[in-house]
Amino acid sequence: QVQLVESGGGLVQAGGSLRLSCAASGRTFSSYAMGWFRQAPGKEREFVAAISRSGGSTYWADSVKGRFTISRDNAKNTVYLQMNSLKPEDTAVYYCAADRTAMYTTVKFGALEYDYWGQGTQVTVSS
């Protein structure tokens, strides 16, 4: 089992930036592909971004491409989501997730395909 703890959320004005962090326990962090998902009030949880075990393959949802960047530091057992040019529609609870079965260079896009989840961190973007 692995524990994931998100941090870095908060209230920001439209056009601003936030950097979310997800710290993982255990020694097997490098064995997991990592993803970020978000859930807005009254909506389903949706894919935001993912990064492979190798760190060499990254993917973003069309809604955030060009604005968000996902990265990982295996030495620190941490995955990051740099969020720039934030919009009110980015307001949501953001969750990090770990996938223990992904191949070295691949990622998955469905929430049900991930094995471990953090508790989430609130991001609110004002207009």
Side-chain angles (χ1 to χ4, degrees), residues 55-73:
S57 298
T58 53
Y59 300 86
W60 302 266
D62 289 341
S63 60
V64 305
K65 189 174 184 179
R67 299 188 297 120
F68 291 9
T69 301
I70 187 171
S71 61
R72 67 189 299 162
D73 186 339

Side-chain angles (χ1 to χ4, degrees), residues 41-98:
K43 297 184 178 180
E44 299 296 319
R45 189 169 299 186
E46 65 176 352
F47 172 81
V48 176
I51 186 167
S52 65
R53 292 170 56 198
S54 68
S57 298
T58 53
Y59 300 86
W60 302 266
D62 289 341
S63 60
V64 305
K65 189 174 184 179
R67 299 188 297 120
F68 291 9
T69 301
I70 187 171
S71 61
R72 67 189 299 162
D73 186 339
N74 289 344
K76 297 180 179 179
N77 282 7
T78 302
V79 63
Y80 305 96
L81 185 68
Q82 179 65 48
M83 309 165 67
N84 299 324
S85 301
L86 283 163
K87 304 176 181 179
E89 52 262 42
D90 295 318
T91 295
V93 176
Y94 283 71
Y95 301 89
C96 65

Side-chain angles (χ1 to χ4, degrees), residues 18-61:
L18 286 173
R19 188 194 191 199
L20 305 184
S21 299
C22 177
S25 65
R27 302 178 181 178
T28 58
F29 177 76
S30 63
S31 297
Y32 304 140
M34 299 295 297
W36 285 96
F37 294 77
R38 67 187 183 186
Q39 188 166 18
K43 297 184 178 180
E44 299 296 319
R45 189 169 299 186
E46 65 176 352
F47 172 81
V48 176
I51 186 167
S52 65
R53 292 170 56 198
S54 68
S57 298
T58 53
Y59 300 86
W60 302 266

